[in-house]
Amino acid sequence: MELLTGVVRDYAWGSRTALPELLGLAADGRPQAELWLGAHPGAPASVAGEPMDAAVGRDPAGVLGPRVRERFGDRLPYLLKVLAAGAPLSVQVHPSEEQAREGFAREEEAGVPADAPHRSYKDPHHKPEMVVALTPFEALCGFRDPAVAAAALRRMDVPAAARLVEVLSGDDAPAAIREALSYLLSGTEEVAQLVEDVSAACAEDGPAEDGTGDAVEAAGAAVPGGPAPLPDELGGPAGGVAGAAGERGRMEEVPDEPVDGAVDPDRRTVAELAAHHPGDPGVLVALLLHRVRLEPGEALWLPAGNVHAYLSGTGVELMAASDNVLRGGLTTKHVDVAELQRVVDARPVAVPRVEPVAGEGSLVWRPGPDEVELWRLEPARGDVAGPVDGPRVVLCTAGEVDLAVGAGGALRLGRGGAALVRDDDGPLRVAGDGVAWVAAVPR
């Protein structure tokens, strides 16, 4: 068992405050988007000064154990992150394992450089992911009924949207979604003008501005572009998430129809996204998707093919260890429309929520795939048991926690501290007055 030092990624959409506060560092004014706590070669964490991928490669038997090595070879199969969004991320989708292997092999054979901006596949692995909110968290995820999107466009009363409304009103929902997606990402002058017209029609419903021009929160809801609010779990006493997570049904889907006297939610979405990405077709792609607001402790599961975009907030994210992203808007990066269409699951779906299993002092999310299992341990009344074997990555987000393992080692983590628990360390137990998140491989 060793202390683990994560890598902060400074993507432009990151919050300027959330990760510095978690890590106990002074904010430097730059966006800090993700804290990576894994062995992915793109940004491996370090263990006792050694890159984590190298540490795994040097002793895979001790770090991973026979069960994990048999299923995944000599690699850590998951990647734990803290994601802190101060502005909307790109509309994106991740491939299945088969699609990733095929796409990676195709680009390798074609000689596409690994760092080429137009490369779609960085590795041969899938990237299903789960996010559990630490703060109020907003996202777009999964296609909704295209008829609902058509109704939203009709309410905006933009004549140029007639063609898109007609497409979305077709009887075959997946076909309508695919046709709408192809149309919106076609790059034509017609679509560019449509984005401009719809954005202008919705501009009056944009976020309020403060004296610095930053969007501010209204009515207690997180607003894309506003500062990520400091969660109770990160900045106050332990227990902020447990109460919220224990009250089922608090995850909110933003209503498809405006409530009397309220701003039309779809007009608000367009206005907010257009303020960040003027002229981007992703502003209208967003209307094809559910908009969801999570309270702390609530989770989304985003399998292969699910189109999504995180909008604001801070969360713990656990995914298969891959960096394969196909983008569909709200970005200046490469958009491979043909590959996106090949990977997208165009069927309308319900909001892809995932519920934890509650135990004594624990919540455990097991969304389904072989690689990922996430534990939240709050040992307020004595120690609690964590995962018993395999590689485990531990992150403390509140107070202090004491880690103890079957092999006799002990380690104390404060807020923002992390550790790698090896397979040969044996079963994990956690004590203290804090909150620990543990990534593990399901048994």
Side-chain angles (χ1 to χ4, degrees):
M1 182 166 57
E2 298 276 0
L3 288 174
L4 189 65
T5 302
V7 177
V8 173
R9 311 304 299 269
D10 58 352
Y11 308 132
W13 48 262
S15 166
R16 288 168 168 77
T17 58
L19 289 183
E21 290 183 14
L22 170 63
L23 298 173
L25 303 174
D28 60 9
R30 296 180 301 170
Q32 298 186 33
E34 294 180 343
L35 175 67
W36 284 32
L37 296 164
H40 191 280
S46 60
V47 184
E50 182 181 21
M52 192 172 174
D53 54 343
V56 172
R58 180 173 49 79
D59 185 13
V63 175
L64 303 176
R67 178 176 66 86
V68 173
R69 292 182 75 195
E70 181 180 354
R71 288 159 70 184
F72 302 106
D74 290 346
R75 57 184 289 269
L76 185 69
Y78 61 75
L79 174 58
L80 180 67
K81 298 181 184 181
V82 180
L83 180 144
L89 282 67
S90 61
V91 174
Q92 59 190 257
V93 67
H94 308 301
S96 68
E97 187 78 13
E98 181 180 356
Q99 290 165 340
R101 282 197 303 266
E102 180 185 329
F104 181 77
R106 185 173 65 248
E107 291 187 331
E108 288 286 283
E109 184 177 352
V112 181
D115 59 352
H118 63 284
R119 178 148 187 162
S120 295
Y121 293 94
K122 305 293 181 65
D123 55 65
H125 303 293
H126 67 166
K127 190 178 178 282
E129 63 190 39
M130 175 175 62
V131 62
V132 184
L134 290 174
T135 74
F137 192 96
E138 295 212 9
L140 303 167
C141 58
F143 290 119
R144 57 184 181 172
D145 186 334
V148 174
L153 283 164
R154 288 192 192 96
R155 294 196 302 273
M156 294 171 192
D157 194 25
V158 176
R163 176 179 173 185
L164 181 56
V165 169
E166 182 180 0
V167 167
L168 291 169
S169 301
D171 293 334
D172 185 332
I177 288 169
R178 285 198 181 278
E179 186 176 350
L181 199 58
S182 292
Y183 171 64
L184 290 172
L185 298 179
S186 63
T188 64
E189 286 297 324
E190 178 183 331
V191 170
Q193 187 61 54
L194 175 60
V195 174
E196 182 177 333
D197 290 350
V198 174
S199 298
C202 299
E204 63 190 40
D205 298 321
E209 300 290 325
D210 67 9
T212 64
D214 292 326
V216 296
E217 289 186 56
V223 173
L230 180 66
D232 291 341
E233 180 167 328
L234 299 189
V241 170
E247 299 173 24
R248 296 297 91 203
R250 290 182 56 190
M251 178 186 295
E252 295 183 40
E253 298 171 38
V254 176
D256 292 326
E257 297 285 345
V259 179
D260 288 345
V263 172
D264 185 319
D266 293 304
R267 294 175 66 93
R268 180 168 66 93
T269 294
V270 168
E272 290 172 359
L273 297 182
H276 287 284
H277 297 277
D280 192 298
V283 170
L284 298 188
V285 173
L287 295 178
L288 306 180
L289 306 172
H290 295 285
R291 180 164 177 165
V292 180
R293 182 170 53 251
L294 307 183
E295 295 301 324
E298 296 175 331
L300 290 175
W301 169 241
L302 304 166
N306 182 291
V307 178
H308 59 279
Y310 299 143
L311 301 179
S312 66
T314 302
V316 174
E317 191 177 24
L318 183 60
M319 63 194 65
S322 171
D323 200 24
N324 286 326
V325 179
L326 292 154
R327 296 175 177 85
L330 305 182
T331 182
T332 58
K333 295 182 179 180
H334 177 60
V335 176
D336 185 339
V337 178
E339 192 66 15
L340 181 81
Q341 284 281 27
R342 193 176 77 88
V343 167
V344 159
D345 183 346
R347 295 172 296 179
V349 295
V351 172
R353 65 192 74 201
V354 56
E355 300 285 355
V357 175
E360 185 65 34
S362 69
L363 294 170
V364 184
W365 288 265
R366 298 185 178 98
D370 289 345
E371 294 96 329
V372 297
E373 177 179 274
L374 184 63
W375 296 56
R376 181 187 182 277
L377 302 177
E378 187 176 5
R381 293 178 293 276
D383 66 347
V384 295
V388 300
D389 69 348
R392 289 145 288 176
V393 173
V394 185
L395 171 67
C396 176
T397 55
E400 290 185 333
V401 292
D402 294 309
L403 312 183
V405 293
L411 193 62
R412 174 167 291 183
L413 299 179
R415 183 174 62 124
L420 170 65
V421 181
R422 300 159 49 103
D423 176 76
D424 58 12
D425 284 323
L428 171 67
R429 297 195 71 85
V430 178
D433 63 356
V435 175
W437 297 81
V438 186
V441 177
R443 290 181 60 82

